[in-house]
Amino acid sequence: GENVEQHPSTLSVQEGDSAVIKCTYSDSASNYFPWYKQELGKRPQLIIDIRSNVGEKKDQRIAVTLNKTAKHFSLHITETQPEDSAVYFCAASPGGANSKLTFGKGITLSVRP
Amino acid sequence: DVKVTQSSRYLVKRTGEKVFLECVQDMDHENMFWYRQDPGLGLRLIYFSYDVKMKEKGDIPEGYSVSREKKERFSLILESASTNQTSMYLCASSLRGRTNGYTFGSGTRLTVV
């Protein structure tokens, strides 16, 4: 089955700096890669996703890049703000009608004011 | 606003009790999932269902069962609760078809004493 790994497990940045969170996956059939943000005490929420037919996707201060050859994808957050502090999960799925997501273990991002 | 609702936010149960965790979604989603979330282990899939009365084992099904008698409701059952089942339980749903992200419930924090 699919195995998704996230690196590093914690990340601390200064407010205004950029943060990059990396994930690797094992199943070459995976073609859908979402990112979830979980604030303390709240539910995980989808913040951005990418499908295998594109290499990069942006939404305001966040972007995701995908390298299918190397089987890794990354979340980029620019101009970080304290409210970006949260746990971020990456996931992968082979797609199709009934595909399930396999999640990484999560990374705790802390943005220092 | 679309919702996935979990019936209890916090539960405390005794070892050996039979425990029911309920999840209801109002989005007419076909797919429903149960995950448990533990520090350092991320989100691990317990069971999932693609349709009414259908169920499939996830990565850690031991000690759990599920029921899906109606499309909108997916129940997780701990047949005989044990202390190692103390965890945060998250329900999620998604639309069948092209792989989409999940919508998560707010979670149930279960403590087994």
Side-chain angles (χ1 to χ4, degrees):
Chain A
E2 175 65 275
N3 181 47
V4 178
E5 296 189 354
Q6 288 188 244
H7 305 280
S9 58
T10 61
L11 180 63
S12 180
V13 300
Q14 191 71 38
E15 182 178 359
D17 288 349
S18 295
V20 181
I21 303 169
K22 299 178 181 179
C23 281
T24 60
Y25 62 98
S26 62
D27 189 349
S28 57
S30 287
N31 61 14
Y32 175 67
F33 308 93
W35 285 89
Y36 287 82
K37 175 184 180 182
Q38 186 178 30
E39 297 176 36
L40 191 62
K42 296 189 176 181
R43 73 187 74 192
Q45 292 199 303
L46 178 68
I47 55 172
I48 196 168
D49 57 13
I50 192 168
R51 301 184 190 273
S52 60
N53 56 344
V54 298
E56 183 176 4
K57 183 176 178 180
K58 290 184 180 179
D59 183 3
Q60 299 182 341
R61 293 188 299 109
I62 61 173
V64 57
T65 57
L66 172 65
N67 184 327
K68 287 218 72 177
T69 303
K71 293 185 192 167
H72 67 72
F73 56 112
S74 300
L75 178 70
H76 305 254
I77 306 173
T78 59
E79 301 173 11
T80 53
Q81 301 167 5
E83 51 264 39
D84 294 327
S85 296
V87 177
Y88 290 82
F89 292 97
C90 62
S93 170
N98 295 331
S99 288
K100 63 186 189 298
L101 292 173
T102 300
F103 287 87
K105 292 184 178 180
I107 171 178
T108 301
L109 174 65
S110 300
V111 179
R112 304 186 303 274
Chain B
D1 189 21
V2 295
K3 285 186 179 177
V4 177
T5 303
Q6 294 184 231
S7 55
S8 303
R9 189 77 174 101
Y10 299 95
L11 275 179
V12 180
K13 296 292 182 180
R14 295 192 179 278
T15 300
E17 279 193 75
K18 190 169 185 176
V19 181
F20 293 84
L21 303 183
E22 305 289 345
C23 175
V24 178
Q25 50 93 6
D26 64 1
M27 298 170 282
D28 203 32
H29 283 176
E30 292 84 1
N31 304 334
M32 297 188 75
F33 308 85
W34 275 106
Y35 287 83
R36 63 177 282 178
Q37 182 176 16
D38 300 287
L41 298 178
L43 300 169
R44 293 181 292 166
L45 182 63
I46 305 171
Y47 266 97
F48 56 106
S49 170
Y50 294 136
D51 205 344
V52 176
K53 296 192 184 296
M54 292 182 66
K55 60 183 179 183
E56 294 196 34
K57 293 180 180 179
D59 300 317
I60 51 165
E62 296 77 19
Y64 303 94
S65 63
V66 290
S67 173
R68 186 134 182 234
E69 296 297 317
K70 293 185 178 181
K71 187 176 184 179
E72 67 271 17
R73 185 180 297 270
F74 192 36
S75 303
L76 179 69
I77 304 159
L78 285 66
E79 298 291 344
S80 178
S82 63
T83 55
N84 63 13
Q85 292 178 310
T86 292
S87 186
M88 170 67 83
Y89 290 87
L90 288 164
C91 175
S93 70
S94 70
L95 196 62
R96 182 183 297 163
R98 192 174 184 226
T99 304
N100 297 291
Y102 295 173
T103 301
F104 281 91
S106 295
T108 297
R109 183 163 295 282
L110 172 67
T111 302
V112 182
V113 298

